[in-house]
Amino acid sequence: MPNLSKVEISEQKNQPAPPALQELRRRMFDPDIATLTNRTVELVFETRRVENGQDVWELPYALTEPDFTYDYAGKTWNAADFYENTATDALIILKDGAIVCEKYFNMVQPHTHWISYSMGKSFSAMMLGAALKGGLVKSIEEPIDRYIPELKGSAYEGMAIRHVLQMRSGTDWVDYPYDPGPARDIQDAAFMQNVERFYTPTFTATKKHEPGEVFNYNTLESSLISLLCARVSGKTFSEFMSEKLWKPAGMESYGFFVLDGPPDVGFEFTGGGFNAVPRDYARAGQMMLNGGVANGHRIMDEDYARACGVPGSSDTCEWNPGYNYGYQFWTLDGTNAFTAIGGGGQWIFIDPDTQTVLVKLSHTPGTMPEHQETADETHAFLLAASAWSPA
């Protein structure tokens, strides 16, 4: 490859990605090849790494074969049935901080970097917690445009950070990129073509409800939270995450984000483009179970970490029955458990009552209602795994 001068790179940075690469990116998420494409994101998209350090958080092992059953669709299933039923590629279960189950399928390995999809939104909340702990942000009751002044004049002007964090901003965004419309347009422009920053539609958002009243799932708002973190830290979001989470928490491998442009201009797709190895997702879950402590380091204040798993209000999500929403984490009705969830069957499940963390990485269809059956079966399995007491 020829060496490009800074001038040549600058001239190229607003050029769309080549058509063949754009088409490959659009096909990356086809369900019939997802078990391959979910692990090869770094080869196809512009990316930025979240570097890890040398002090690895060693998780103890107490491996045992899961011997519990779970009930789904009028039948009782053995735990072993779950893996194939729900297109599982990796499964890790921790009890009391120890790995009691670790399984890989379809040639996935412990060192495989797997895309988290919307599970990555929860990492935006973690980093806001780190920014609060470090005094870079005073309170989530502050208006978000204090830190992102471009939002003045939009529906977000004067809005508390809390309402953005909980996706209860009251804006009228329809977050479904699989049908024609603004959500699909911005995703294509940002990640397939690399010609626009993904968060830009927030600057012209319009209000439909008063903030705090109605939950409306909105990937753009995860990007606002991470943009806020980047602004207050004076670093890229990846650098901030490396410094305040990935290194002190003792992650064993680097993570990385898909970017919405070349590295000199692109911003991290924190709403759905984070990639990490399975055990590092488990470490992140254990940190949340520990109230914000990882590898002996306090990453965020305990009150904030616990609040991530508390519903923001009583309104529910119509397309995700049985769940509510906290700080970029889903909460499970009738339990104290909460979970990061990503399209295609990605989960970091955390249950404080049973000291359980479960990571499931998968290649199931990424949209509802196609994914509803596997999501429902996973829900049943999660509750059974949480109640399970290994011998």
Side-chain angles (χ1 to χ4, degrees):
M1 175 181 289
N3 291 323
L4 297 177
S5 70
K6 292 182 179 180
V7 173
E8 289 172 322
I9 292 173
S10 177
E11 290 173 349
Q12 291 186 15
K13 68 184 181 183
N14 290 321
Q15 295 299 313
L21 183 56
Q22 290 185 39
E23 185 58 24
L24 175 59
R25 290 170 174 176
R26 294 185 184 102
R27 296 288 304 277
M28 279 284 292
F29 312 113
D30 290 357
D32 55 346
I33 59 171
T35 192
L36 171 64
T37 57
N38 285 351
R39 74 186 79 182
T40 56
V41 173
E42 201 167 14
L43 302 178
V44 180
F45 290 87
E46 300 280 5
T47 63
R48 181 176 291 133
R49 288 193 176 188
V50 178
E51 300 292 354
N52 62 310
Q54 300 299 315
D55 180 22
V56 176
W57 183 9
E58 298 292 350
L59 299 172
Y61 276 85
L63 291 177
T64 185
E65 190 64 27
D67 56 3
F68 60 88
T69 61
Y70 65 99
D71 295 327
Y72 171 70
K75 292 180 61 177
T76 297
W77 303 84
N78 293 318
D81 297 322
F82 175 74
Y83 315 138
E84 186 66 27
N85 286 359
T86 61
T88 301
D89 293 283
L91 180 74
I92 299 176
I93 304 175
L94 291 87
K95 296 281 186 176
D96 298 311
I99 296 175
V100 296
C101 173
E102 183 173 15
K103 293 181 178 292
Y104 300 96
F105 308 92
N106 302 316
M107 299 186 73
V108 172
Q109 301 293 329
H111 59 265
T112 300
H113 285 80
W114 195 268
I115 190 168
S116 62
Y117 294 109
S118 289
M119 191 166 75
K121 291 178 171 66
S122 301
F123 287 91
S124 295
M126 295 178 201
M127 296 319 303
L128 179 58
L132 287 161
K133 179 182 179 297
L136 299 175
V137 177
K138 294 181 180 179
S139 167
I140 60 173
E141 306 306 333
E142 289 186 285
I144 192 168
D145 56 301
R146 178 172 296 172
Y147 299 98
I148 309 175
E150 300 97 312
L151 292 172
K152 294 185 184 299
S154 76
Y156 291 97
E157 182 173 359
M159 185 181 299
I161 297 168
R162 177 192 297 276
H163 292 140
V164 181
L165 189 61
Q166 296 172 332
M167 293 190 186
R168 290 174 169 85
S169 66
T171 60
D172 61 355
W173 183 254
V174 178
D175 199 76
Y176 195 77
Y178 304 100
D179 289 339
R184 188 168 77 175
D185 292 346
I186 187 58
Q187 181 163 296
D188 193 89
F191 305 113
M192 312 312 165
Q193 301 181 56
N194 291 147
V195 295
E196 189 170 350
R197 306 292 74 77
F198 178 71
Y199 53 69
T200 53
T202 60
F203 301 148
T204 56
T206 57
K207 186 167 70 172
K208 186 176 181 180
H209 304 282
E210 288 301 313
E213 289 185 352
V214 177
F215 171 72
N216 180 43
Y217 193 76
N218 189 339
T219 300
L220 295 172
E221 293 177 351
S222 295
S223 292
L224 284 183
I225 295 299
S226 54
L227 179 60
L228 184 160
C229 291
R231 291 285 176 85
V232 300
S233 68
K235 306 175 186 295
T236 68
F237 185 77
S238 297
E239 290 170 338
F240 182 58
M241 186 165 165
S242 173
E243 177 184 325
K244 298 299 183 181
L245 171 59
W246 224 243
K247 287 181 177 179
M251 301 304 186
E252 68 182 72
S253 184
Y254 68 91
F256 69 89
F257 283 99
V258 170
L259 299 178
D260 57 16
D264 54 339
V265 296
F267 189 77
E268 291 87 347
F269 181 28
T270 55
F274 183 60
N275 298 252
V277 301
R279 282 194 295 257
D280 284 344
Y281 287 130
R283 289 180 174 92
Q286 187 64 41
M287 176 187 69
M288 297 306 295
L289 184 65
N290 293 348
V293 174
N295 196 31
H297 298 280
R298 177 157 292 285
I299 307 301
M300 66 194 78
D301 290 335
E302 182 172 7
D303 288 349
Y304 177 89
R306 302 297 184 200
C308 286
V310 177
S313 65
S314 60
D315 66 310
T316 58
C317 179
E318 293 180 359
W319 52 266
N320 200 9
Y323 291 81
N324 209 307
Y325 209 67
Y327 295 172
Q328 304 284 297
F329 280 88
W330 293 94
T331 63
L332 280 69
D333 293 351
T335 77
N336 290 316
F338 57 107
T339 184
I341 304 177
Q346 323 313 321
W347 301 75
I348 303 175
F349 170 84
I350 303 138
D351 191 344
D353 291 344
T354 62
Q355 292 293 294
T356 299
V357 172
L358 186 150
V359 172
K360 171 178 161 60
L361 306 176
S362 320
H363 62 274
T364 53
T367 61
M368 299 294 187
E370 292 90 343
H371 184 215
Q372 189 64 60
E373 289 186 1
T374 51
D376 290 345
E377 184 165 358
T378 299
H379 180 94
F381 180 87
L382 291 173
L383 296 180
S386 185
W388 171 49
S389 296

